[in-house]
Amino acid sequence: MIRRRFPLTKSIKSIWNDKRNNYPERIVQFGEGNFLRGFVDWQVDRMNKRAGFRSSVAIVQPRANGTVSKLNDQDGLYTLFLQGLKNGSAISEHTVIEAVSRGIDPYKEYGEYIKLAENPELRFIFSNTTEAGIAFAPDDKLTDTPQSSFPGKLTALLYHRFQYFNGSKEKGVIIIPCELIDRNGDELKKIVLQFASLWNLGGEFTNWLEEYNVFCSSLVDRIVPGYPKDSISEITEELGYEDRLVVVGEQYHLWVIEGPAWLKAELPVEEAGLNTLIVDDMTPFRSRKVRILNGAHTAMTPISFLCKKETVGEAMLDGQIGEFVRELIFNEIIPTLDLPKAELTAYADEIVDRFLNPYITHYVMDISLNSISKFKTRDLPTLLEFVNRKEHLPQKLVFSLSALIYFYKGKRGDEQIMLRDDDSILTFFHEQWSTVDGSQSSMHTFVQNVLQEKMLWEQDLSELAGLVETITNHLMMMEHTGMRKALQACLENTH
């Protein structure tokens, strides 16, 4: 913990640069967001300080409108606050993360980006580009500088490394994505191989990918709300220096990596005292976490925001929303999972407590990024499995889906909602909502069009018995009486 006090005119880099160790860039990370900095980079920092890992992270900005310039302004340094229960006690502690060497914007510095492949020390590649990030973009070309998609950028980097080192088996890398999609490592590998085929990169490159590079699927678990904009003045005074990249996260963390046993020798997580597991099969961990924690987060987000609750904590303390979330978890999500009920219930109780963590200010609008793909990944499997097992619709999840569709109208009363999603999705909803004239029939047609759009769901959801009618009724009530009364009606109808 940092205990010294400095004049407030000091910046974090003026204080810490002369203290840090400059380790080789053995890690390339796609994504500069709060989560990776509060989870992966924190773990790298811990392994450096406690287990002799001796690695630094070069961060690649995956989107054109990223923030690596802020990171470079601070020479990669930032402060992480961890707040919540630790060994049964409420703890708030902070540390300076020194593991990041620099950030690279490939849209402005493509030469620097591709040069990362020439580093003989490079061993690991991590990523978190949201659920929408691991996707095949057929228009990407090897000659693009850069490619539009994360897998396209990654393929170009790996191909350059293959060429630069003449296909050396010693220069393969370990790739561990953190995006919350099922079998993320397998999916990323599949898309990289698609690009290798599309770009005619040759059999030798494909064999090098298969034989000497390892794609590990992984599961991440830590709530990282990010920059504490409501309390930054108090934090700055406590720190004694200015830090524009402060990150706040909870104490709890879990990283489950499905990989070969020899990976434990290369990634010294046990020696660093981290709750990171390298396992043969991550499936049970993933189903429990993604369905309960992430599923509840995504399901509650549009309801909470449209009820004018800005944070997860505020929403959980609201009588109606808190009741809704608990019933969603215990009555609709848990019955679709195959782990022992006692284990699932204990985990769910822990999740509810984490949602109520008084230290954490987790804005629901931050969770709302790419909400459509998040619902498809986190909540739709639960909805479909519930129907399969119970032979009727899960009312809370259907209400959440209705609220999500209403959220994508882009209005909260007279206030414009700053929706953040792919342009194609935002354009689709804008065009579809413009056809609704307030009548039941126009709403019914609108819902039919949304549910059968495979760009959103990769299947025709309008075929589910009663789903179009139920969502139409929910949306009519939301439109004419407001989200609060619609939520109350949902709670009353399912008691």
Side-chain angles (χ1 to χ4, degrees), residues 8 14 19 45 67 116 120 183 187 192 199 204 235 252 299 309 313 319 321 376 387 398 422 434 441 476:
L8 287 180
S14 68
K19 306 175 189 296
D45 196 68
T67 59
L116 290 169
R183 312 296 311 169
E187 185 65 19
V192 168
W199 296 344
E204 290 186 7
I235 283 175
Y252 178 89
K309 299 298 178 182
I321 301 173
K376 180 180 68 176
V387 171
V398 171
D422 288 349
S434 69
S441 61
M476 289 297 290

Coordinates of all heavy atoms in Angstrom, one line a residue, residues 8 14 19 45 67 116 120 183 187 192 199 204 235 252 299 309 313 319 321 376 387 398 422 434 441 476:
L8 N 0.1 17.8 -4.4 CA -0.9 17.5 -5.4 C -0.5 17.9 -6.8 O -1.1 17.5 -7.8 CB -2.3 18.1 -5.1 CG -3.0 17.5 -3.9 CD1 -4.3 18.2 -3.7 CD2 -3.2 16.0 -4.1
S14 N 5.9 11.1 -12.4 CA 7.0 11.8 -11.8 C 7.5 11.2 -10.5 O 8.6 11.3 -10.1 CB 6.6 13.3 -11.6 OG 5.7 13.4 -10.6
K19 N 11.2 4.3 -9.7 CA 11.1 3.1 -8.8 C 10.8 1.8 -9.5 O 11.1 0.8 -9.0 CB 10.0 3.4 -7.8 CG 10.0 4.6 -7.0 CD 8.8 4.8 -6.1 CE 8.7 6.1 -5.4 NZ 9.8 6.4 -4.5
D45 N 1.5 -7.7 -12.5 CA 2.2 -6.9 -11.6 C 2.5 -7.8 -10.3 O 3.6 -7.7 -9.8 CB 1.4 -5.7 -11.2 CG 2.2 -4.6 -10.5 OD1 3.1 -4.0 -11.2 OD2 1.9 -4.4 -9.3
T67 N -8.1 4.7 -25.8 CA -7.5 5.7 -24.9 C -6.1 5.4 -24.5 O -5.6 5.8 -23.4 CB -8.4 5.7 -23.6 OG1 -8.4 4.4 -23.0 CG2 -9.8 6.1 -23.8
L116 N 5.8 -5.4 -33.0 CA 5.7 -6.3 -31.7 C 6.0 -7.7 -32.1 O 6.5 -8.5 -31.2 CB 4.3 -6.1 -31.1 CG 4.0 -4.8 -30.5 CD1 2.5 -4.7 -30.2 CD2 4.8 -4.6 -29.2
P120 N 11.8 -11.1 -29.8 CA 12.1 -12.5 -29.5 C 11.6 -13.0 -28.2 O 11.4 -14.2 -27.9 CB 13.6 -12.6 -29.6 CG 14.1 -11.2 -29.4 CD 13.0 -10.3 -30.0
R183 N -16.1 -20.9 -25.0 CA -14.9 -21.4 -25.6 C -14.1 -20.4 -26.4 O -13.8 -20.5 -27.5 CB -15.3 -22.6 -26.6 CG -16.2 -23.7 -26.0 CD -15.6 -24.4 -24.9 NE -14.3 -24.9 -25.2 CZ -13.4 -25.4 -24.2 NH1 -13.8 -25.5 -23.0 NH2 -12.2 -25.8 -24.6
E187 N -12.8 -20.4 -30.2 CA -13.4 -19.5 -31.2 C -12.4 -18.6 -31.9 O -12.4 -18.4 -33.1 CB -14.6 -18.7 -30.6 CG -15.4 -17.9 -31.6 CD -16.2 -18.8 -32.6 OE1 -16.4 -20.0 -32.3 OE2 -16.6 -18.2 -33.6
V192 N -8.9 -17.1 -36.6 CA -7.5 -16.9 -37.1 C -7.2 -17.8 -38.2 O -6.7 -17.4 -39.3 CB -6.5 -17.0 -36.0 CG1 -5.1 -17.1 -36.5 CG2 -6.6 -15.9 -35.0
W199 N -6.7 -15.4 -46.7 CA -5.6 -14.6 -47.2 C -4.5 -15.5 -47.8 O -3.5 -14.9 -48.2 CB -5.0 -13.8 -46.0 CG -5.9 -12.8 -45.4 CD1 -7.0 -12.3 -45.9 CD2 -5.7 -12.2 -44.1 NE1 -7.6 -11.4 -45.0 CE2 -6.8 -11.3 -43.9 CE3 -4.7 -12.2 -43.1 CZ2 -6.9 -10.5 -42.8 CZ3 -4.8 -11.5 -41.9 CH2 -5.9 -10.6 -41.8
E204 N 2.4 -23.9 -44.4 CA 3.4 -23.9 -43.4 C 3.0 -23.0 -42.2 O 3.3 -23.3 -41.1 CB 4.7 -23.4 -44.0 CG 5.3 -24.4 -44.9 CD 6.7 -24.0 -45.4 OE1 7.2 -22.9 -44.9 OE2 7.3 -24.7 -46.3
I235 N -10.0 10.8 -3.7 CA -8.9 9.8 -4.0 C -7.6 10.5 -4.3 O -6.6 10.1 -3.8 CB -9.4 8.9 -5.2 CG1 -10.4 7.9 -4.7 CG2 -8.2 8.2 -5.8 CD1 -11.0 7.0 -5.7
Y252 N -12.6 -9.6 -4.7 CA -12.7 -10.9 -5.3 C -12.1 -11.0 -6.7 O -12.3 -10.1 -7.5 CB -14.2 -11.3 -5.3 CG -14.4 -12.7 -5.9 CD1 -14.4 -13.8 -5.1 CD2 -14.7 -12.8 -7.2 CE1 -14.7 -15.1 -5.6 CE2 -14.9 -14.1 -7.8 CZ -14.9 -15.2 -6.9 OH -15.1 -16.5 -7.5
A299 N -29.1 -8.6 -17.6 CA -30.6 -8.5 -17.5 C -31.1 -7.3 -16.7 O -32.2 -6.8 -17.1 CB -31.1 -9.8 -16.9
K309 N -32.1 4.3 -12.0 CA -31.1 3.9 -11.1 C -29.8 3.7 -11.9 O -29.7 2.9 -12.8 CB -31.5 2.5 -10.5 CG -32.8 2.6 -9.7 CD -32.7 3.5 -8.5 CE -34.0 3.6 -7.7 NZ -33.9 4.6 -6.6
G313 N -25.4 -1.0 -7.4 CA -25.8 -0.9 -5.9 C -27.1 -0.2 -5.7 O -27.9 -0.7 -4.9
G319 N -36.4 -1.7 -3.9 CA -37.2 -2.8 -3.6 C -37.6 -3.7 -4.7 O -37.5 -4.9 -4.7
I321 N -36.5 -3.6 -8.0 CA -35.4 -4.2 -8.9 C -34.7 -5.3 -8.1 O -34.3 -6.3 -8.7 CB -34.5 -3.1 -9.3 CG1 -35.2 -2.0 -10.1 CG2 -33.3 -3.6 -10.2 CD1 -34.4 -0.8 -10.5
K376 N -27.2 -12.1 -25.9 CA -27.2 -13.3 -26.7 C -26.2 -14.4 -26.0 O -26.5 -15.6 -26.0 CB -26.7 -13.0 -28.1 CG -26.6 -14.2 -29.0 CD -26.1 -13.8 -30.4 CE -24.7 -13.4 -30.4 NZ -24.1 -13.0 -31.7
V387 N -37.0 -22.9 -21.3 CA -38.1 -23.3 -22.1 C -38.0 -24.8 -22.4 O -39.0 -25.6 -22.3 CB -38.1 -22.5 -23.5 CG1 -39.2 -23.1 -24.4 CG2 -38.4 -21.1 -23.2
V398 N -37.8 -12.9 -20.0 CA -38.5 -12.3 -21.1 C -38.7 -10.8 -20.9 O -38.6 -10.0 -21.8 CB -39.8 -13.1 -21.3 CG1 -40.7 -12.4 -22.4 CG2 -39.5 -14.5 -21.8
D422 N -22.5 -1.8 -32.1 CA -22.1 -1.7 -33.5 C -23.1 -0.8 -34.3 O -24.3 -0.9 -34.0 CB -22.1 -3.1 -34.2 CG -21.0 -4.0 -33.7 OD1 -20.1 -3.4 -33.0 OD2 -21.0 -5.2 -33.9
S434 N -38.8 3.4 -35.7 CA -39.5 4.4 -36.5 C -40.8 3.9 -37.1 O -41.6 4.7 -37.5 CB -38.5 5.0 -37.6 OG -38.3 4.0 -38.6
S441 N -50.8 -3.3 -33.1 CA -50.4 -4.0 -34.4 C -49.0 -3.6 -34.8 O -48.3 -4.4 -35.3 CB -51.5 -3.7 -35.4 OG -51.5 -2.4 -35.8
M476 N -45.8 -2.5 -24.9 CA -46.9 -1.5 -24.9 C -47.1 -0.9 -23.5 O -47.3 0.3 -23.4 CB -48.2 -2.3 -25.3 CG -48.2 -2.7 -26.7 SD -48.2 -1.2 -27.9 CE -49.9 -0.6 -27.5

